mmCIF file of all heavy atoms in Angstrom:
data_model
loop_
_atom_site.group_PDB
_atom_site.id
_atom_site.type_symbol
_atom_site.label_atom_id
_atom_site.label_comp_id
_atom_site.label_asym_id
_atom_site.label_seq_id
_atom_site.Cartn_x
_atom_site.Cartn_y
_atom_site.Cartn_z
ATOM 1 N N SER A 42 76.477 -58.554 109.428
ATOM 2 C CA SER A 42 75.770 -59.823 109.694
ATOM 3 C C SER A 42 75.424 -60.498 108.347
ATOM 4 O O SER A 42 75.662 -61.689 108.196
ATOM 5 C CB SER A 42 74.628 -59.667 110.524
ATOM 6 O OG SER A 42 74.935 -59.146 111.826
ATOM 7 N N SER A 139 96.540 -63.376 133.359
ATOM 8 C CA SER A 139 95.110 -63.264 133.244
ATOM 9 C C SER A 139 94.674 -62.127 132.201
ATOM 10 O O SER A 139 95.500 -61.284 131.840
ATOM 11 C CB SER A 139 94.435 -62.912 134.586
ATOM 12 O OG SER A 139 94.946 -61.649 135.093
ATOM 13 N N THR A 149 88.750 -72.363 113.044
ATOM 14 C CA THR A 149 87.806 -72.754 111.969
ATOM 15 C C THR A 149 87.627 -74.269 112.049
ATOM 16 O O THR A 149 88.652 -75.049 112.111
ATOM 17 C CB THR A 149 88.372 -72.349 110.542
ATOM 18 O OG1 THR A 149 88.333 -70.988 110.488
ATOM 19 C CG2 THR A 149 87.512 -72.934 109.515
ATOM 20 N N PHE A 240 89.626 -43.867 145.766
ATOM 21 C CA PHE A 240 88.508 -44.657 145.313
ATOM 22 C C PHE A 240 88.997 -45.973 144.625
ATOM 23 O O PHE A 240 88.466 -47.052 144.907
ATOM 24 C CB PHE A 240 87.670 -43.803 144.332
ATOM 25 C CG PHE A 240 86.504 -44.579 143.772
ATOM 26 C CD1 PHE A 240 85.516 -45.227 144.554
ATOM 27 C CD2 PHE A 240 86.367 -44.591 142.329
ATOM 28 C CE1 PHE A 240 84.474 -45.879 143.968
ATOM 29 C CE2 PHE A 240 85.325 -45.307 141.778
ATOM 30 C CZ PHE A 240 84.346 -45.922 142.552
#
Side-chain angles (χ1 to χ4, degrees):
S42 298
S139 60
T149 295
F240 177 54

